[in-house]
Amino acid sequence: MMIKSMAEYAANGETPEVLFWVGCAGSFDQRAQKITKAFAQILDKVGVQFAILGKEEMCTGDPARRSGNEFLFQMMAYNNIQTMNAYGVKKIVTACPHCFNVLKNEYPALGGDYEVIHHTTFLQQLINDGRIRLKEGGEFKGKRITYHDSCYLGRGNNIYEAPREVLQALDVELVEMKRCRTNGLCCGAGGAQMFKEEEAGSTRVNFERSEEALETGANIIAANCPFCTTMLTDGVKNKEKEDSVMVLDIAEMVAKSLA
Amino acid sequence: MHLVQQILFILCAGVSVYFFSKKVGEIRRNIKLGKDENLTDNPSARWRNMILMALGQQKMFKKPIPALLHLAVYAGFVIINVEILEIFLDGILGQHRLFAPMLGSLYAYLIGFFEVLAALVLIACVIFLIRRNVLKVKRLNQRELDGWPRNDANLILVTEVVLMSLFLIMNTADQVLQSRGAEHYTLTEPFWITSNFTGMFAGLSDGALVAIERGGWWLHIIGVFLFLNYLPYSKHLHIVLAFPNAYYTRLRPQGEMANMKEIQNEVLYMMQPELAPTADGSQPAQQRFGARDVMDLSWKNLLDAYSCTECGRCTSACPANTTGKKLSPRKIMMDTRDRLEEVGKNISVNKTFVDDGKSLVHDYISVEELRACTTCQACVEACPVGIEPLSIINQLRRYLVMEESNSPQEWNLMFGNVENNMAPWKFSPDERDKWAEEMVNS
């Protein structure tokens, strides 16, 4: 399949339906690349006209801003907004809740006003509109699955139901962790923790969260964030459960279930 | 005799209101030390928050048992204060049970209802004391509560128990006196609870009963005056400040971090110098980036600090704290209030703030605490009165990184990567769409 960039659309005088904001994890991290590819494959299969920024995309500045480096954040935001405004971007979909939060809530004050949607919400809409058609009795049907709310999709932006509705559409047996929805426990990566060693403590945040997920007896931990996916995968490995329990992004689950 | 009591009462009331207003004025001044932040938009949403969060205690009900007990104490406190109005007027006018003749038989129902509430408050406070001191509920026994905060909490609960007991004892003695037709004691219908205990006092003389009733009355009202003056020094101030705090709480999504307009402009003028204002010498003085001390925070952060009742719902939800890190969002709020009080005293003594060589960051809140935050917003979500510990953490982090260049080596590497490779990792920007090329070939 061909994935076109905004520049290619613009060269043909065309505008795509939506810009797929891939994000740094989705672009470079080997595990997250699989999520990116799965999501792109879904968009392609159902015929959503989408573009990426390609080499013109830059870090949104989220880890810089959360760690306190506002100057660097503003530099990144300035450049990204210049690029997107030049292309006349109207609608953005992204598979990273950190990018989602910054693009949706923090760029408007800086002159970047777009309709921003997280990929789980987008998938739910495509399913509801009948554009995504799922296999009868797909591979996740009846599987015991728990869902991890990421902080920036859940508490940050009050999106709790869309990802769960997608899972329901896959006919899974959804089991909730003790701390879910507004009480959901962080995976430990946010606030630029992903990029540094954890402070001294009795355990790691991702170990604590993964243990909670494993306690549900689920075979699959469904996530919506590339950083959560990494943290939870490490936590599952720490308990030596990686052979029986998988950590998957919701997009990967949908991609495997397409009719 | 009555005149002496009347004069004494008015004197007590005057002194207590004077000192209370003085302290309230200081707190107001301290909160105004914070930076301006306009939070007057969307009044209907703000009233709604105040009614649901403060009046309706909506967020408390995430933990139903403490919520019900707290509701009993809260309802008791608010409603029994109607009775304080009568006690207050009785005191000034030298009357006894001023409202009784006006309300007729309704009066006994009203007092009966107050007695039920008083009994509920008493029971709830005893349970709270047990939870704190016997069951040792974790969030009520963490290390930041050692010393004064723990004593403060117990003192309030014990005071409540004493005040409610005095109220009930006073009513019991009153009814025995009523039944004996003692002069001055207006005959009312039996009160719901205390009328069952009049047998306790049956053997006592009229004189002893008057002493008990008057003693109860005086101790109760003096207790109330002392409590009023204790309030502004205590975590218990939340009973007042929860209301404005809920009104002014954030309306924007919790994930959104406050923008720094000054840095936005600096970057804009750097990228597009033609937009920069011409230097005419009127440029504002160099501002501080982020917050080093309480004066650098917004007034809402400072109101938050005074509104915190140290319940620890934030800390028990904090992923850093529950995994043994030093960070505790509750401690962030307690430290902010302690430092603000210290700054306030400095100003009261010196007329203006004289540098004491201390700051909120380092002297109160350590770098290690600030570094442990994952910005997950669980603390903000957990707070029943709309306090945002995360807002303070974020501003202190900004100061550390931008003013002190104080960040862990890994973050410095990440900053370098973002700046040079446009990604937090050391990958070539040319490889950003490599995954897409791989898909073409697949």
Side-chain angles (χ1 to χ4, degrees), chain A residues 37 66 78 106 193 198, chain B residues 257 325 371 397 438:
Chain A
K37 287 176 180 175
R66 260 76 202 161
Y78 176 88
E106 299 180 0
Q193 296 292 338
E198 251 181 73
Chain B
M257 224 171 124
K325 277 81 180 175
R371 289 272 167 75
R397 276 184 169 194
E438 286 165 11

Side-chain angles (χ1 to χ4, degrees), chain A residues 138-200:
Chain A
E139 73 172 273
F140 302 107
K141 187 181 165 74
K143 282 261 173 73
R144 201 172 166 84
I145 287 170
T146 191
Y147 169 71
H148 167 78
D149 288 282
S150 67
C151 302
Y152 278 88
L153 197 62
R155 275 186 294 273
N157 288 287
N158 276 314
I159 299 175
Y160 300 105
E161 298 313 322
R164 286 180 171 81
E165 282 176 32
V166 175
L167 292 171
Q168 300 293 2
L170 297 175
D171 269 342
V172 308
E173 186 207 334
L174 185 63
V175 278
E176 294 289 355
M177 287 181 255
K178 211 174 118 215
R179 286 172 280 190
C180 64
R181 293 193 169 84
T182 55
N183 299 327
L185 182 73
C186 179
C187 74
Q193 296 292 338
M194 186 73 191
F195 305 101
K196 72 186 251 303
E197 196 45 52
E198 251 181 73
E199 301 304 312

Side-chain angles (χ1 to χ4, degrees), chain B residues 77-366:
Chain B
F77 182 85
V78 173
I79 298 169
I80 294 170
N81 272 336
V82 179
E83 168 65 2
I84 298 279
L85 181 71
E86 188 192 36
I87 293 182
F88 196 82
L89 290 175
D90 278 351
I92 290 178
L93 303 172
Q95 297 287 322
H96 187 68
R97 299 206 182 269
L98 182 70
F99 295 165
M102 302 178 202
L103 297 173
S105 61
L106 189 68
Y107 184 80
Y109 283 111
L110 208 60
I111 298 292
F113 179 54
F114 292 160
E115 287 190 346
V116 171
L117 285 170
L120 282 174
V121 171
L122 211 155
I123 294 165
C125 287
V126 170
I127 297 174
F128 281 151
L129 281 165
I130 293 171
R131 278 168 59 84
R132 271 181 194 270
N133 302 292
V134 183
L135 299 176
K136 295 207 180 284
V137 172
K138 191 187 169 207
R139 73 178 157 88
L140 306 173
N141 282 281
Q142 282 172 294
R143 65 176 159 228
E144 64 264 26
L145 297 180
D146 286 348
W148 161 245
R150 195 187 313 277
N151 295 340
D152 183 18
N154 283 327
L155 194 61
I156 293 157
L157 290 170
V158 169
T159 307
E160 292 259 14
V161 169
V162 170
L163 286 180
M164 292 305 121
S165 306
L166 288 170
F167 175 69
L168 294 171
I169 289 170
M170 177 183 94
N171 279 357
T172 313
D174 192 301
Q175 286 177 98
V176 179
L177 286 163
Q178 285 180 30
S179 65
R180 292 182 190 171
E183 190 200 350
H184 201 72
Y185 286 88
T186 319
L187 189 62
T188 66
E189 308 226 349
F191 302 149
W192 289 346
I193 291 188
T194 50
S195 61
N196 301 308
F197 293 94
T198 47
M200 266 169 35
F201 292 154
L204 296 177
S205 70
D206 281 9
L209 283 172
V210 172
I212 289 174
E213 191 278 329
R214 283 290 84 192
W217 191 92
W218 270 102
L219 283 171
H220 183 81
I221 196 67
I222 288 173
V224 169
F225 286 151
L226 287 176
F227 194 69
L228 181 72
N229 277 281
Y230 178 67
L231 201 57
Y233 295 90
S234 160
K235 77 188 193 81
H236 210 53
L237 189 54
H238 82 291
I239 61 172
V240 181
L241 293 186
F243 291 87
N245 210 63
Y247 183 86
Y248 290 115
T249 198
R250 140 191 310 254
L251 301 177
R252 304 278 310 148
Q254 277 171 12
E256 181 182 331
M257 224 171 124
N259 188 35
M260 290 181 74
K261 189 80 186 166
E262 61 275 31
I263 296 186
Q264 183 193 342
N265 285 337
E266 200 168 317
V267 168
L268 182 68
Y269 303 152
M270 189 177 72
M271 307 304 275
Q272 293 173 264
E274 69 278 11
L275 296 177
T278 44
D280 58 355
S282 69
Q283 281 188 340
Q286 176 64 44
Q287 288 180 334
R288 171 160 287 142
F289 292 144
R292 176 178 176 268
D293 211 342
V294 286
M295 307 76 118
D296 306 321
L297 295 168
S298 112
W299 66 268
K300 176 59 170 64
N301 298 136
L302 305 183
L303 178 64
D304 275 357
Y306 275 118
S307 306
C308 175
T309 195
E310 300 164 16
C311 74
R313 280 169 177 73
C314 52
T315 293
S316 65
C318 174
N321 191 276
T322 51
T323 56
K325 277 81 180 175
K326 278 200 182 140
L327 175 65
S328 160
R330 165 171 55 190
K331 180 177 170 292
I332 300 287
M333 302 319 300
M334 293 167 70
D335 287 342
T336 303
R337 179 173 177 169
D338 288 349
R339 173 59 182 158
L340 183 54
E341 280 283 297
E342 186 176 55
V343 168
K345 279 193 196 103
N346 184 317
I347 293 174
S348 296
V349 171
N350 302 312
K351 299 273 183 280
T352 170
F353 180 68
V354 176
D355 189 8
D356 58 359
K358 291 199 210 167
S359 60
L360 180 61
V361 69
H362 299 306
D363 293 300
Y364 284 79
I365 301 171
S366 70

Side-chain angles (χ1 to χ4, degrees), chain A residues 7-54:
Chain A
E8 287 166 308
Y9 271 98
N12 296 333
E14 291 169 349
T15 325
E17 201 178 316
V18 66
L19 166 67
F20 174 23
W21 182 277
V22 185
C24 301
S27 300
F28 295 113
D29 180 85
Q30 284 195 339
R31 175 68 190 86
Q33 279 176 348
K34 290 184 188 164
I35 303 168
T36 306
K37 287 176 180 175
F39 186 61
Q41 186 202 332
I42 299 166
L43 296 180
D44 184 62
K45 177 91 184 253
V46 304
V48 174
Q49 285 242 309
F50 74 99
I52 57 170
L53 279 173

